[in-house]
Amino acid sequence: MTIEQHIEELRAELRNSVDIDERRKIEGELVLAQAECEVIWAEQDGRVSAEPPF
């Protein structure tokens, strides 16, 4: 599963969730997945280096 697919799956789960605790958990996972996706795009675009700093 790609990160984009994972994000879409989380969005669908969020739309269908009625329990507040479950919604908060999904929202947190969604934020992390979106951040991970942004890092991947930044690495591919050359905006950040994928190499460790040491």
Side-chain angles (χ1 to χ4, degrees), residues 3 6-7 9-11 13-14 21-37:
I3 189 71
H6 184 62
I7 289 170
E9 187 175 290
L10 287 170
R11 287 179 178 154
E13 286 182 32
L14 190 57
D21 291 330
E22 183 181 9
R23 287 186 63 81
R24 286 185 180 143
K25 180 179 179 251
I26 295 168
E27 287 170 344
E29 290 178 25
L30 181 57
V31 167
L32 289 175
Q34 289 170 325
E36 182 180 347
C37 186

Side-chain angles (χ1 to χ4, degrees), residues 2 6 10 14-15 17-19 22 26 33-34 39-40 42 48 53:
T2 67
H6 184 62
L10 287 170
L14 190 57
R15 280 191 301 271
S17 176
V18 293
D19 180 68
E22 183 181 9
I26 295 168
Q34 289 170 325
V39 168
I40 291 168
V48 295

